Amino acid sequence: MESYKVPSSEIPGFSAIYRNPYFKDGTCSEFFSEITTMYELFQHNVTKYSEGEFLGMRKLISHKKTPIFGSYEWMTGKQASVFVDEFGAGLEHVYTKYVSSVAQDSSAQQPLGIYSVNRPEWILTEMAGFRSRKMSVGISDATGVLSAEHMINDSKVPVVVCSMDKIPRILERINEVPSLKAIICMDKFDCSHTSISTLAFNANAVKELKARAESLGLAMLDMDEVREIGRDKPTTPKLPEPDDTSIICYTSGSTSSQKGVIVTHRAIVHSTKAFVLSLNLKDETYMPFMPLVHIS
């Protein structure tokens, strides 16, 4: 299958425009026309794979010398849907309680920071945020903790969902990130589930982190606590529009400070449709080797 070259589209300094030969006019409105946002795409897939393997991760089973991981443990589409509903409702209450700008303008899109290596909770957090029109801001410290600080400040992130190992880094720089009001930990505070991000922590260490956060006036909860809030106080989703901001994706910062690239729901969905059409995908399983922070 060869790309379609748009006639007379080549101008000095730029190549011609090439399109999928099945969509020569540049639109694919009839292909999954009901899907216009990332949240709608998520809902489509959790319904399609309601009882099937949806998100998987290998559990850490030993870490004496080198980490040893077991087989993949999967979450079904139905389980993912319930998680997103509960956590999404809980997130709304967290924003209402701790973020003053929500009280001032509840209709404005709010940024939601996500700070961890690749794991199912990364995707689930993003979808839970989309449930109430949050903008996903992937945070990285690949070039140092100052880069994470820059991303939080540049996007004015008030709530960060992160793995446990990132919390000390945030607390060390909390005076430099005035927009941050709450941290939600992906890992359980009771340390009942061992993962790479919790190896350096025990109950006493978590207790110290909580005390430190409290002394700084920073709210700190774990995902289970937020899900419980959502279960006790369910909310009606406030769904995004196609032209709402979906993600703010930061560049690597190899030449200067990282720049936040604003991407709409429409843009990502359109790219996803083109990807599926070009590769003729059906029910393949996707394994991201690149960090989700680069493009979720």
Side-chain angles (χ1 to χ4, degrees):
M1 184 173 67
E2 295 183 357
S3 298
Y4 168 71
K5 182 179 179 180
V6 178
S8 304
S9 61
E10 193 169 356
I11 60 175
F14 296 88
S15 71
I17 295 172
Y18 291 86
R19 292 174 177 160
N20 187 301
Y22 294 121
F23 304 95
K24 296 180 180 181
D25 64 351
T27 66
C28 52
S29 57
E30 300 304 315
F31 183 69
F32 288 104
S33 60
E34 74 281 7
I35 300 176
T36 61
T37 68
M38 288 293 286
Y39 189 77
E40 289 172 348
L41 180 61
F42 170 74
Q43 290 298 327
H44 170 82
N45 284 310
V46 294
T47 299
K48 182 178 180 180
Y49 302 104
S50 176
E51 302 301 327
E53 296 175 345
F54 187 73
L55 283 172
M57 182 176 180
R58 295 174 66 191
K59 185 177 180 180
L60 180 68
I61 58 176
S62 176
H63 52 85
K64 292 181 179 179
K65 292 184 178 180
T66 58
I68 298 176
F69 296 89
S71 301
Y72 277 92
E73 296 183 359
W74 292 89
M75 173 183 282
T76 66
K78 184 176 181 179
Q79 290 169 329
S81 180
V82 171
F83 188 108
V84 165
D85 268 338
E86 292 177 351
F87 188 58
L91 268 179
E92 288 192 65
H93 292 294
V94 169
Y95 272 77
T96 299
K97 183 174 182 179
Y98 298 109
V99 184
S100 59
S101 58
V102 173
Q104 295 169 5
D105 186 2
S106 60
S107 65
Q109 281 195 272
Q110 296 285 335
L112 170 63
I114 309 177
Y115 187 16
S116 83
V117 297
N118 292 5
R119 54 190 290 178
E121 291 86 356
W122 213 109
I123 297 294
L124 295 169
T125 294
E126 186 168 61
M127 296 304 146
F130 291 157
R131 186 183 180 275
S132 56
R133 297 185 65 233
K134 302 287 187 293
M135 300 178 285
S136 172
V137 182
I139 298 169
S140 170
D141 56 14
T143 58
V145 71
L146 291 181
S147 63
E149 177 185 314
H150 166 73
M151 294 172 190
I152 293 173
N153 284 330
D154 189 56
S155 295
K156 295 180 173 58
V157 171
V159 177
V160 167
V161 180
C162 65
S163 52
M164 191 175 290
D165 58 316
K166 304 298 186 184
I167 296 178
R169 303 181 193 186
I170 295 174
L171 296 182
E172 286 171 7
R173 305 294 300 177
I174 194 62
N175 291 329
E176 308 304 322
V177 285
S179 66
L180 190 60
K181 305 301 178 186
I183 295 174
I184 300 172
C185 184
M186 295 176 177
D187 302 294
K188 296 176 183 289
F189 281 156
D190 63 9
C191 298
S192 60
H193 181 77
T194 302
S195 68
I196 290 293
S197 61
T198 63
L199 289 179
F201 299 88
N202 55 31
N204 286 334
V206 172
K207 187 176 180 180
E208 290 176 6
L209 288 179
K210 285 185 172 182
R212 173 69 173 151
E214 184 178 356
S215 70
L216 294 167
L218 189 68
M220 197 165 87
L221 310 92
D222 68 17
M223 268 189 158
D224 283 356
E225 291 178 86
V226 177
R227 287 187 67 184
E228 186 175 353
I229 293 171
R231 279 193 296 270
D232 292 342
K233 300 176 181 178
T235 62
T236 301
K238 302 168 186 174
L239 303 182
E241 297 292 333
D243 290 321
D244 280 348
T245 298
S246 171
I247 65 172
I248 299 178
C249 182
Y250 279 86
T251 60
S252 62
S254 56
T255 57
S256 62
S257 295
Q258 296 92 339
K259 290 106 174 146
V261 180
I262 296 173
V263 188
T264 65
H265 282 270
R266 186 190 302 277
I268 296 183
V269 167
H270 198 83
S271 295
T272 302
K273 290 180 180 181
F275 182 71
V276 171
L277 284 167
S278 299
L279 297 183
N280 194 28
L281 300 177
K282 300 299 180 184
D283 294 304
E284 286 78 6
T285 299
Y286 170 68
M287 180 183 290
F289 281 92
M290 289 296 290
L292 289 169
V293 70
H294 285 316
I295 179 68
S296 53

